[in-house]
Amino acid sequence: MKIFISGIGGAGMAPLAEIAHQAGHAVIGSDKQDSSYVAYLREHGLSDIHIGQTTENITRMHAEAPIDWLVCSSAVTLENPGAPELRFAREHGIRISKRDELLNFILDEKKLDMIAIAGTHGKTTTVAMTVFLMQELNRPISYLLPAKTNFADMGKYDPESKYFIYEADEFDRNFLAFRPALSLISGVAYDHQEIFPTREDYRSAFREFIGQSAETFIWQNDFDDLSLSELERVRVLDANEPQIDRIKLIGHYNRMDAWLVANAVAEITGEPLDKLLEILERFPGLDRRMEQISDNLYSDYAHTPEKIIGAMSVAREMAAQTKQKLVVIYEPLTNQRQHYILDDYKGLFKGATKIYWVPSYLAREPKGLRIIPPAELITHLDDETREIAEPAAMDDDLKKKIDEHLRRGDLVVAMTGGGGNSLDAWLREKFS
């Protein structure tokens, strides 16, 4: 089957393209901009990727060999429902779907059971830990990992595997398309307000997802917040378990992710919990999660209150170990999200000695919504952190300030959720 993926360079779409390719399908696609994910796919044998999403390009690809299926990311349909590639597919009777339908097709075709990791925060780290642990146990596994690591490709189909590990994202209600054999809920807090107008809408979606899962591991506080009833197939974990903070990983939330993964994998493999935790203590991490860009300069994909809490817990431990001052550069992800989380910022950056706040990274923004500038967002910090925060721009002045902090030996952590043209990309260009 010939599959065309529109938005193939996305963090979720790129590994799906790789999996479909490994599963025996011809995969081609396009993206509006070049990226490291596109380069990664080309290096892994997917050479027919066009930059620019035009009628001319898909016409050529269809003429070379008919396209059977067009798969598009949620971003494509949200930003432009009348996009040229979608219009072409409709006019030529080509099947159109989002990624969930293709993935379900592959799961059915290859007879794979899904291990789904869902939650507002911690999903990607938890997926990566699960993949790492299963590999270290020499268990054949298939997976979709929307981040780069030094121990696994982003997507893999192993014909010997029983399970498929997947980050089941709640955005656009994607996770409700699946019926996992096992689900891990890494943590639940209100997010994606453009999809879920109220907090109860968000909770309801998670309840529905858990109801579709054959078995679920979840933290007690999330179990309570979702008002779940006691069920045999829901395993509740205590976040206050003393053994969690004895796990030799930096960051309390990383240790919680490891505990969640170890308990779930012990259930399906029968391996002793202590053995699994010992393996997870060797977990090497992944890109964009406290990833080192240069000496004392790190980048983290923290852009919601819960993710910032997790990133700050790691950063504070790192700074304490080395007795460094902690400097934070923060780039919010989406202006729309800022209108909902203003009052959540208060003490999030506690422990920093300086904060540089750059403009929000814009994505999927509704027309006419006022863009909140950094100076205004800073006013919502608590008194202590407001005094050390200042608006900034990605320019020579900010670079000079970062250079000076690095010269002094400070620990500089960027929290940035964007992709191309983001703070993360700017830092890599200036400091790698």
Side-chain angles (χ1 to χ4, degrees), residues 108-387:
D108 290 342
E109 180 185 48
K110 304 302 181 183
K111 296 180 173 54
L112 295 169
D113 289 331
M114 177 179 282
I115 298 175
I117 287 83
T120 316
H121 49 86
K123 292 188 294 293
T124 306
T125 298
T126 305
V127 170
M129 284 182 173
T130 309
V131 171
F132 176 77
L133 183 54
M134 294 294 277
Q135 286 184 338
E136 291 295 296
L137 292 171
N138 293 316
R139 303 284 179 125
I141 199 73
S142 297
Y143 59 83
L144 191 157
L145 176 56
K148 295 175 184 176
T149 70
N150 63 5
F151 60 84
D153 287 333
M154 291 177 64
K156 180 179 179 181
Y157 165 64
D158 185 335
E160 300 299 317
S161 63
K162 174 183 178 183
Y163 292 110
F164 183 91
I165 303 169
Y166 181 63
E167 179 174 319
D169 191 358
E170 75 275 17
F171 179 73
D172 207 19
R173 302 180 185 269
N174 170 265
F175 65 167
L176 296 182
F178 305 103
R179 296 188 172 275
L182 175 65
S183 291
L184 287 64
I185 310 296
S186 57
V188 181
Y190 186 34
D191 195 18
H192 298 305
Q193 293 81 8
E194 70 273 38
I195 304 296
F196 305 96
T198 69
R199 192 178 296 272
E200 182 53 31
D201 288 333
Y202 194 75
R203 292 186 181 118
S204 178
F206 272 91
R207 285 194 291 267
E208 186 176 347
F209 173 73
I210 291 167
Q212 294 173 186
S213 304
E215 186 171 12
T216 300
F217 281 74
I218 189 170
W219 296 104
Q220 181 72 59
N221 61 314
D222 293 323
F223 180 90
D224 295 340
D225 185 60
L226 294 174
S227 301
L228 296 173
S229 57
E230 293 289 347
L231 296 170
E232 236 180 76
R233 56 194 180 84
V234 178
R235 301 283 300 277
V236 182
L237 301 180
D238 182 4
N240 297 313
E241 163 60 50
Q243 193 172 348
I244 293 173
D245 273 327
R246 291 199 287 269
I247 300 170
K248 296 183 181 70
L249 288 171
I250 293 179
H252 176 70
Y253 289 89
N254 285 334
R255 296 189 284 270
M256 287 183 67
D257 291 340
W259 183 254
L260 176 65
V261 169
N263 277 271
V265 172
E267 176 77 9
I268 62 173
T269 64
E271 296 281 0
L273 186 63
D274 288 347
K275 174 184 176 180
L276 301 181
L277 291 171
E278 184 180 338
I279 292 171
L280 284 169
E281 289 179 338
R282 304 195 300 269
F283 177 66
L286 61 161
D287 285 9
R288 300 295 310 279
R289 272 67 178 179
M290 213 55 72
E291 178 190 358
Q292 187 171 8
I293 293 177
S294 64
D295 288 347
N296 291 325
L297 177 61
Y298 293 80
S299 179
D300 194 278
Y301 187 68
H303 58 273
T304 66
E306 294 72 28
K307 287 182 172 70
I308 294 169
I309 289 170
M312 286 298 297
S313 76
V314 174
R316 283 193 299 268
E317 287 188 28
M318 291 169 61
Q321 286 182 2
T322 53
K323 297 182 179 178
Q324 292 173 286
K325 291 182 177 179
L326 173 59
V327 176
V328 171
I329 314 165
Y330 177 56
E331 176 189 52
L333 175 59
T334 83
N335 173 65
Q336 183 176 14
R337 181 181 277 120
Q338 303 317 297
H339 286 262
Y340 289 90
I341 67 172
L342 285 171
D343 294 330
D344 295 331
Y345 277 121
K346 297 190 186 305
L348 289 185
F349 298 103
K350 185 177 180 181
T353 59
K354 184 67 181 178
I355 302 166
Y356 298 100
W357 197 304
V358 304
S360 298
Y361 186 89
L362 304 181
R364 307 184 301 268
E365 306 291 351
K367 292 180 181 179
L369 186 65
R370 184 177 71 88
I371 294 178
I372 306 175
E376 182 180 339
L377 291 168
I378 286 170
T379 66
H380 291 267
L381 293 170
D382 62 288
D383 292 342
E384 182 182 346
T385 48
R386 191 187 310 120
E387 288 181 3

Side-chain angles (χ1 to χ4, degrees), residues 32-79:
K32 61 182 179 182
Q33 61 189 9
D34 213 341
S35 67
S36 60
Y37 289 124
V38 170
Y40 172 90
L41 289 175
R42 286 175 173 149
E43 291 168 4
H44 286 73
L46 282 78
S47 57
D48 201 354
I49 299 174
H50 186 79
I51 303 304
Q53 297 172 307
T54 65
T55 302
E56 292 76 17
N57 171 57
I58 194 170
T59 299
R60 173 187 63 80
M61 291 176 155
H62 189 62
E64 290 171 355
I67 296 168
D68 300 297
W69 194 341
L70 184 145
V71 179
C72 60
S73 67
S74 296
V76 171
T77 54
L78 284 171
E79 291 174 6

